Amino acid sequence: MELSWILMKMTPCACGLAVLALFGFRPLSAQGSSPRSALAAIVHEATAQSEVMSTAHWFSDVYGPRLTGSPLDSMARVWAMKRMREWGLSNVHAEPFVFPWSSWMTERFHMAVRAPVPFAVTGVPAAWSIGTDSLVKSAVVIASIRTPADTVEWRGKLQGKAVLVSPPLEGYMLAPGPSVVLTTSMLDQMVRTGEPWHITHPDLASPINRFRATPEVKGPRLSALEATRFLHRQGASLIMRASERGVGGNVDTGVWWDVSIPQVSVSSDDYSRMYRLVERGTPVEMEFEIRNRSSSAPATPFNVLAELPGTDRRAEVVMLGAHLDSWNVGTGATDNAAGAAVMMEAMRILRATGLPLRRTVRLALWSGEEQGNLGSSAYSKAHLGTMTGPRGARVLVPGPEHSRLSAYFNLDSGTGAIRALDTYGNGAATPVLERWLRELPLDSLGIAHVVSVGGQGSDAAEFTAIGLPAFEFMQDPLTYESVSHHRTADTFDRLVPENLQRNAIIVAAIVYLAANHEALMPRKQ
């Protein structure tokens, strides 16, 4: 992002301060640091020395995808810690947590149809499923195992077969849907109604592929796990499912059940082609090789922590965070190398500017978010507290840092520009946040709204669950849900550099104000 872009968007006063920043202006004390002068210093550092895209490159191009507990997840963690130490951050360390699955990654994947005519098949092995010892050749069959009657029909007929288990798409989706930018009217509507944008504007929501209708099942029905185990017992060589989202060869993560049999999520194009051939009586022969590296014992993932020490209120903490893990498709760029890179860049900016921070600022790069916020949940239980007791009568058992955490800020919505702060229903914090946006003024950077629509269900939820103030940076959706989220298209090419640079400025400015606010942030009642 060019500095001139920031100068054009800022008010005249802020513009003049940004020019001062350009020529080396640096606030030297808390007394001499007005919010606007602090923003000027942040803008200068972010535009003159930005490393956010370099960080995103390392996380995605070099160490992606970063499945929790995988070798690439570990390498990304080590690199991030080394980089933050080079920047001069303090107390850089990693905290392990318990994880039920092994270290796993795919090292070689090949799939192709050999007859009736050769063609390559695009797919992604399901995470943690087993691979093959060599190249396997199989006939392809359609076998939807939904009821006990289906198991009777297919018993003894699946040995060595590659099985298509889901219906094909009913119709082809020609485009992934519009690139969504949150307008002022949409944000105003979210403030008024408390509803997320995709509820009030369903016409803009990500289109959903429609699968061919299947007959309704009456009576007993098998679970997906039971069906997969049946296929395994019958000696099937491979399970294939149609990718539920994406066009043009884009493939999502699929699902994994009973990982003792090879499973692959296949692009809707190739899956439908194989399905039509088999359904119309043309025999299909295919070959595949899946080489996975897996540990024999559960992996030990880590959260990464780093700090900027505070001054007179250093025992109190303001946290910012993003999850670093991803699924095993694409390179995990928008989900969530972008968020991790922005949060690291915000810390680098605050360290480089030397802006005074009364409270300690702590960064967390979480792992295990994709499996249910496992990393942030473990951190919360170790440091902040837990809820105990029966449903409806749960009580908080506070941890050693519960009373000292002022706020947590989370980023996990892709590469879109930050447009609002979501309070997770913490109405008491809304006036404070609105005042900050006016003081800086951050509307010059496109953020002027505070909403309460319940967040994204990401790591911030672990903080709100125990009564702590947690806020989600709401971003322009762009094509996050329709193109990149959990799909092979989630690569560095989806990232928008000017948005990541601008987001780092906003995060650094908000965290700066939180660290120097006169009181702890109001807590949700």
Side-chain angles (χ1 to χ4, degrees):
M1 177 173 58
E2 296 293 331
L3 182 60
S4 58
W5 186 93
I6 291 289
L7 300 183
M8 286 189 295
K9 293 292 183 180
M10 283 183 155
T11 61
C13 179
C15 178
L17 289 168
V19 171
L20 289 176
L22 180 63
F23 288 95
F25 170 76
R26 291 289 186 275
L28 298 178
S29 67
Q31 290 74 23
S33 299
S34 70
R36 294 193 179 207
S37 65
L39 179 60
I42 289 168
V43 167
H44 167 72
E45 180 61 34
T47 53
Q49 307 291 337
S50 177
E51 294 195 32
V52 68
M53 293 308 294
S54 173
T55 301
H57 156 73
W58 279 94
F59 284 155
S60 55
D61 288 340
V62 182
Y63 298 127
R66 303 166 305 281
L67 186 70
T68 303
S70 70
L72 290 174
D73 181 36
S74 177
M75 286 187 274
R77 165 176 52 86
V78 171
W79 180 87
M81 294 173 67
K82 177 176 181 293
R83 198 76 186 99
M84 289 190 288
R85 289 187 180 112
E86 292 171 349
W87 290 344
L89 303 189
S90 302
N91 196 23
V92 178
H93 67 284
E95 296 185 3
F97 60 90
V98 176
F99 190 66
W101 297 291
S102 64
S103 172
W104 183 97
M105 67 179 292
T106 298
E107 296 185 320
R108 173 175 168 75
F109 175 70
H110 163 74
M111 180 178 286
V113 165
R114 305 308 304 165
V117 292
F119 62 87
V121 176
T122 301
V124 174
W128 288 290
S129 62
I130 67 167
T132 64
D133 295 327
S134 60
L135 185 69
V136 177
K137 297 181 179 180
S138 297
V140 178
V141 299
I142 299 170
S144 177
I145 310 299
R146 306 170 68 206
T147 68
D150 294 328
T151 66
V152 174
E153 176 186 353
W154 285 101
R155 187 170 290 120
K157 300 177 183 179
L158 297 173
Q159 182 67 41
K161 299 295 194 297
V163 184
L164 303 169
V165 297
S166 58
L169 295 182
E170 187 177 49
Y172 189 74
M173 188 171 67
L174 296 178
S179 179
V180 182
V181 174
L182 299 177
T183 64
T184 299
S185 63
M186 292 168 71
L187 291 161
D188 288 342
Q189 188 172 14
M190 280 188 271
V191 172
R192 290 194 306 271
T193 66
E195 298 282 0
W197 70 270
H198 56 82
I199 298 297
T200 53
H201 296 79
D203 53 316
L204 296 179
S206 173
I208 302 298
N209 287 333
R210 292 186 301 163
F211 287 88
R212 179 186 298 178
T214 55
E216 182 180 353
V217 174
K218 295 181 179 180
R221 181 170 181 168
L222 299 180
S223 68
L225 177 59
E226 290 171 328
T228 303
R229 286 177 173 170
F230 170 77
L231 293 169
H232 179 215
R233 290 194 303 269
Q234 293 301 304
S237 63
L238 176 70
I239 293 176
M240 291 180 284
R241 294 181 177 87
S243 178
E244 295 186 8
R245 301 179 296 174
V247 296
N250 200 1
V251 182
D252 62 21
T253 56
V255 295
W256 43 272
W257 305 97
D258 187 10
V259 294
S260 57
I261 180 172
Q263 299 177 58
V264 174
S265 178
V266 178
S267 73
S268 59
D269 312 66
D270 295 333
Y271 188 93
S272 296
R273 183 178 181 182
M274 288 188 288
Y275 199 102
R276 287 190 296 269
L277 286 167
V278 174
E279 185 180 43
R280 299 179 187 188
T282 301
V284 175
E285 301 288 334
M286 73 179 309
E287 64 180 30
F288 57 93
E289 184 177 7
I290 308 170
R291 298 296 182 96
N292 298 324
R293 186 203 305 180
S294 180
S295 61
S296 58
T300 302
F302 293 80
N303 297 319
V304 175
L305 288 305
E307 292 181 345
L308 293 169
T311 53
D312 60 312
R313 306 188 77 164
R314 67 188 305 158
E316 298 174 354
V317 177
V318 172
M319 288 190 69
L320 65 159
H323 74 89
L324 184 55
D325 65 301
S326 75
W327 276 112
N328 60 308
V329 291
T331 60
T334 65
D335 187 25
N336 186 33
V342 165
M343 293 316 215
M344 278 182 60
E345 177 71 358
M347 292 289 282
R348 186 199 67 79
I349 291 169
L350 291 173
R351 173 69 176 85
T353 57
L355 288 168
L357 303 168
R358 298 186 67 190
R359 293 180 181 86
T360 294
V361 174
R362 180 179 299 156
L363 169 68
L365 299 179
W366 310 113
S367 189
E369 189 273 347
E370 298 292 4
Q371 291 75 45
N373 301 343
L374 298 184
S376 54
S377 176
Y379 177 89
S380 176
K381 291 174 181 176
H383 297 272
L384 303 173
T386 58
M387 300 297 293
T388 63
R391 185 181 297 273
R394 294 171 67 80
V395 296
L396 171 69
V397 179
E401 298 180 28
H402 189 277
S403 64
R404 295 187 283 113
L405 182 74
S406 180
Y408 172 74
F409 297 91
N410 196 65
L411 187 63
D412 182 20
S413 296
T415 188
I418 291 174
R419 302 299 308 282
L421 271 164
D422 189 347
T423 67
Y424 277 83
N426 186 352
T430 297
V432 178
L433 297 173
E434 288 178 336
R435 189 177 82 230
W436 290 355
L437 298 185
R438 292 192 302 268
E439 283 179 351
L440 284 174
L442 284 179
D443 59 349
S444 62
L445 293 174
I447 174 173
H449 289 75
V450 178
V451 303
S452 178
V453 296
Q456 308 299 315
S458 186
D459 295 292
E462 301 303 318
F463 292 79
T464 61
I466 55 174
L468 290 170
F471 310 102
E472 189 85 32
F473 287 105
M474 179 179 288
Q475 301 169 253
D476 281 332
L478 302 183
T479 57
Y480 181 64
E481 288 292 345
S482 61
V483 174
S484 65
H485 182 238
H486 292 183
R487 273 160 277 186
T488 47
D490 189 5
T491 66
F492 186 86
D493 302 277
R494 304 283 87 75
L495 301 182
V496 182
E498 56 266 32
N499 286 350
L500 268 60
Q501 291 176 327
R502 183 190 315 167
N503 290 350
I505 293 172
I506 292 171
V507 172
I510 292 291
V511 168
Y512 165 78
L513 289 178
N516 292 298
H517 188 54
E518 62 270 15
L520 295 174
M521 287 295 288
R523 302 195 170 189
K524 183 177 178 180
Q525 300 301 311

